[in-house]
Amino acid sequence: MLTLAVLRPALDDHSSPLPERFALDIGGELREPTRWADDIDPATADTLATVGSATPDEVDAAVAAARRAAPEWGASAPSHRGTLLRRLADLVRRDADVLARLETRDTGKPLTQGRADITAAARYFDFYGSVVEGFLGDSIPLGRGSLAVVEHEPHGVTGHVIPWNYPAQITARSVGAALAAGNATVVKPAEEAPLVALAYARLAREAGFPAGVLNVIPGGAEAGTALTAHPHVEHVSFTGSVATGRTVAAACASRGRPSLLELGGKSAHLVLEGADIDRAAPVITRALLLHAGQTCTAGTRVIVHRSLHHQLVSAIAPFFATATLGHGLTDPTVGPVVSEQQVKRVQGFLERALAAGAVVAAQATDADGLGGYFVAPVLFDEVAQDTELFAEEVFGPLLAVTTVDSDAEAVAAAHNSRYGLTAAVWCQDVDRALRTARSLDVGQTYINGYAPGGGVELPFGGTRDSGYGREKGVEALREYSRSRTLFIDIA
């Protein structure tokens, strides 16, 4: 087996394929798959690596390995599980440069963002390795004649369906919490970007995790269906589209099993009277251009008070006009989108927005000749609230600006979408900003700032079509465990 360090020379050359096939990782061992799939580099449209693509039989084998490992792992001391998770965090930091380049080439994002993702991943493993020892049960006072205790139990085998946009972070946040809670895990990363999840499995072996506790099986829809419908998977975490999320929820509900769904968003910046535009403009821009807009928490709508409209658009426009596009290893402002299909999707939104009367206020120079899947960022002004661009998730670098005349109109406009993931309120009057923030039906709201997805410690999830359940923070340990009540009648 090649070590991660051996991959470094190929990762430094954005035209080189990786020098190995990436097999499935089941039961603590590499397993040759029945079939292989090409993992495409979105910056070049060439094959980056050849990766195993799990069949239903191989999904079943991974679940069986997790079932064998789950009892002993779940019964182990939280301090033991925490030690191994912190050791894994140290190994991720040791190999951070290689992992960041692997994430950059696999997803297309700029190298600075790839590095930030690996830093965050190590923090997830560290965080859950530390807080699990303080994840305490409760006693319920019922009088001197009895004792009631509530304790937390792992589910057993948990399934994790990981999207292609942030595989390094999302794998670490969900698997870190699940492992800390005592579950054995089966991870299905997307075929478009599976490499860092597979690297974590290698590092977990080095850290000393028992065989079968972390299984990684890349694959497509067939593998995802087999995992989420498997009778021995006791809990499923899914991040992806609304349509697929509903299918996952139905599959779990039909078996009476819980699911945790994070299904995307159409997050809004509400720029109220009195906002500090110089402070807001660069943050709003970054929240959209981050990973070419392929972020569920991307702030894709700006709802601005009329008195500040011209000033805000004028402050944002230069960031779009000067944005650079290129291969992630060159660390441009914006990398490629994930696939040719995604290019067509974003271009469709762009064309329909123009037809609906939206005005282009600024646009980056096209990435002609780069050869990959690039879309130039566009700042749209005068976007009507009854249009597709205002209400629907694009997953591309298109920002929509809409003008309102009051705080109440701003809140109503923010709710003019089926999603409820994140939002930001910009206003120097903190009382007014807090009132507005509390009136928004979203899972996270920021005031005078924006950190998509929040920090490791902050519970994260949505409302309405953005899904249910919470990842991140201590709250995730509750998601990945179930409570059991013990009652003792004292004679």
Side-chain angles (χ1 to χ4, degrees):
M1 180 182 71
L2 294 176
T3 64
L4 295 186
V6 173
L7 298 175
R8 175 60 193 265
L11 288 170
D12 284 346
D13 180 357
H14 61 69
S15 64
S16 295
L18 298 183
E20 71 166 297
R21 289 185 164 197
F22 290 79
L24 309 177
D25 209 301
I26 297 175
E29 297 178 346
L30 295 179
R31 174 167 171 164
E32 289 288 302
T34 303
R35 62 192 178 197
W36 298 91
D38 287 338
D39 178 20
I40 302 301
D41 184 338
T44 63
D46 295 327
T47 298
L48 171 62
T50 303
V51 181
S53 181
T55 64
D57 285 345
E58 288 159 342
V59 172
D60 188 63
V63 174
R67 286 190 76 201
R68 290 190 295 271
E72 184 175 352
W73 178 249
S76 64
S79 59
H80 174 64
R81 301 196 298 266
T83 295
L84 293 184
L85 282 164
R86 293 192 298 272
R87 192 177 298 163
L88 177 56
D90 289 340
L91 294 175
V92 169
R93 278 189 285 266
R94 182 197 68 188
D95 291 342
D97 190 59
V98 173
L99 290 168
R101 291 169 185 274
L102 197 63
E103 182 81 343
T104 291
R105 291 207 60 189
D106 212 7
T107 64
K109 64 185 61 176
L111 184 56
T112 295
Q113 294 173 27
R115 287 174 173 150
D117 286 355
I118 299 304
T119 297
R123 280 276 295 118
Y124 281 117
F125 292 131
D126 250 344
F127 177 80
Y128 288 114
S130 299
V131 302
V132 67
E133 294 185 49
F135 184 48
L136 307 178
D138 298 290
S139 64
I140 301 173
L142 295 174
R144 294 177 63 85
S146 62
L147 174 65
V149 175
V150 179
E151 57 185 7
H152 301 290
E153 289 275 295
H155 291 288
V157 176
T158 57
H160 305 259
V161 181
I162 308 298
W164 46 258
N165 58 337
Y166 282 87
Q169 279 209 54
I170 294 175
T171 302
R173 84 182 187 198
S174 68
V175 168
L179 291 175
N183 301 285
T185 60
V186 179
V187 181
K188 193 209 79 66
E191 283 187 312
E192 294 90 342
L195 299 182
V196 169
L198 288 164
Y200 288 160
R202 299 183 184 196
L203 295 178
R205 274 196 292 284
E206 186 178 348
F209 280 83
V213 166
L214 175 57
N215 306 275
V216 182
I217 48 168
E222 183 185 33
T225 298
L227 179 62
T228 57
H230 199 286
H232 296 137
V233 173
E234 302 296 329
H235 178 282
V236 172
S237 169
F238 172 83
T239 302
S241 72
V242 173
T244 305
R246 288 174 175 169
T247 300
V248 169
C252 291
S254 71
R255 299 185 288 110
R257 299 296 185 270
S259 56
L260 191 167
L261 305 180
E262 197 270 277
L263 305 180
K266 190 68 178 176
S267 300
H269 294 270
L270 283 66
V271 183
L272 309 182
E273 288 177 287
D276 184 340
I277 298 302
D278 290 338
R279 179 179 177 181
V283 177
I284 290 171
T285 304
R286 173 174 168 74
L288 184 280
L289 298 184
L290 189 72
H291 197 13
Q294 299 173 116
T295 307
C296 57
T297 54
T300 56
R301 297 184 292 167
V302 179
I303 300 166
V304 58
H305 190 272
R306 192 172 303 278
S307 64
L308 295 174
H309 170 243
H310 177 72
Q311 182 184 355
L312 181 63
V313 172
S314 297
I316 294 175
F319 290 103
F320 276 76
T322 59
T324 58
L325 281 75
H327 194 289
L329 291 181
T330 67
D331 214 20
T333 311
V334 180
V337 296
V338 73
S339 65
E340 183 178 7
Q341 178 183 358
Q342 193 65 13
V343 170
K344 292 177 180 177
R345 172 181 165 82
V346 178
Q347 288 177 337
F349 270 92
L350 190 155
E351 292 165 4
R352 293 188 293 273
L354 292 172
V359 174
V360 174
Q363 183 171 1
T365 303
D366 285 335
D368 294 334
L370 289 177
Y373 307 128
F374 291 90
V375 177
V378 180
L379 171 62
F380 280 106
D381 196 9
E382 301 179 29
V383 177
Q385 291 189 41
D386 61 353
T387 60
E388 175 191 54
L389 182 63
F390 185 82
E392 291 297 326
E393 185 174 47
V394 178
F395 238 56
L398 309 183
L399 182 61
V401 177
T402 299
T403 307
V404 294
D405 292 303
S406 68
D407 295 0
E409 283 188 24
V411 172
H415 288 153
N416 188 8
S417 170
R418 60 197 177 113
Y419 297 102
L421 194 56
T422 58
V425 176
W426 296 88
C427 183
Q428 294 185 84
D429 181 340
V430 176
D431 289 346
R432 183 178 175 186
L434 184 58
R435 281 195 303 271
T436 302
R438 283 180 163 167
S439 69
L440 295 171
D441 184 14
V442 298
Q444 280 189 341
T445 304
Y446 294 86
I447 295 175
N448 294 327
Y450 197 69
V456 170
E457 302 85 356
L458 304 181
F460 174 68
T463 64
R464 297 175 284 145
D465 274 11
S466 287
Y468 53 76
R470 293 295 179 264
E471 300 268 19
K472 303 189 178 184
V474 176
E475 192 71 18
L477 293 177
R478 297 186 178 92
E479 294 281 354
Y480 289 108
S481 60
R482 54 193 178 198
S483 63
R484 178 170 63 189
T485 302
L486 301 175
F487 178 84
I488 304 168
D489 192 355
I490 303 174

